[in-house]
Amino acid sequence: MSDPIHIVCPACQAKNRIPAAKLTARPTCGACKAALFPDAPFELDEAKLNKHLKGDEVPLLVDFWAPWCGPCRMMAPMFAQAATEMSPQVRFAKLDTEQNQAVGNRFQIRGIPLIILFDKGKEVARQAGAMDARGIVSWVRQNLKG
């Protein structure tokens, strides 16, 4: 039997324990039954980001963006495409920096779009500027080695 992995539900924020071997079986939240690995990147605010950074044991890639940012809007479908390719090895989320300005200050965000890769709550790498899906997948794989 594989060791359980802790995952915070993107819908209700409940903490779930899933056997590592069951991650590819499209697990759902024990509390609200939502998909733990949704088909598209999920939205975060500061409180949800904190909960995911504290409770998730699956790497988390966060796209820091704003609605007025043209390159952010151009990258959104590519980010979603990369999410479908990398799930369940990596979870993909988006955080609107316009609505969560304190997060921008906390992570010293100077330009968007910006993706930050977290593993077990710690920042592993960051990349500014729009990227295509293949570039995002390649960048994540390169930064998770080790």
Side-chain angles (χ1 to χ4, degrees), residues 7 22-25 27 37 58-59 83-91:
I7 301 171
K22 301 277 185 184
L23 291 182
T24 58
F37 295 93
V58 173
T84 62
E85 186 173 331
M86 299 210 72
S87 182
Q89 294 84 24
V90 179
R91 299 174 83 202

Side-chain angles (χ1 to χ4, degrees), residues 23-129:
L23 291 182
T24 58
R26 301 195 51 83
T28 58
C29 176
C32 75
K33 306 302 182 213
L36 292 176
F37 295 93
D39 292 332
F42 54 92
E43 295 289 331
L44 294 174
D45 59 21
E46 185 174 14
K48 290 176 183 177
L49 175 64
N50 292 337
K51 189 145 190 168
H52 283 268
L53 292 179
K54 186 177 180 183
D56 275 348
E57 293 179 349
V58 173
L60 176 68
L61 183 64
V62 180
D63 175 15
F64 294 88
W65 70 288
W68 50 261
C69 170
C72 297
R73 290 193 315 269
M74 283 178 25
M75 189 175 92
M78 294 176 273
F79 190 74
Q81 182 182 343
T84 62
E85 186 173 331
M86 299 210 72
S87 182
Q89 294 84 24
V90 179
R91 299 174 83 202
F92 282 60
K94 298 177 72 64
L95 188 137
D96 181 347
T97 57
E98 186 77 13
Q99 298 295 319
N100 298 277
Q101 293 182 6
V103 174
N105 292 332
R106 173 178 160 195
F107 289 103
Q108 300 178 358
I109 296 172
R110 303 289 179 246
I112 53 173
L114 172 72
I115 55 175
I116 300 180
L117 179 62
F118 298 94
D119 193 10
K120 296 184 177 82
K122 297 195 178 2
E123 182 177 330
V124 174
R126 65 173 57 204
Q127 176 69 44

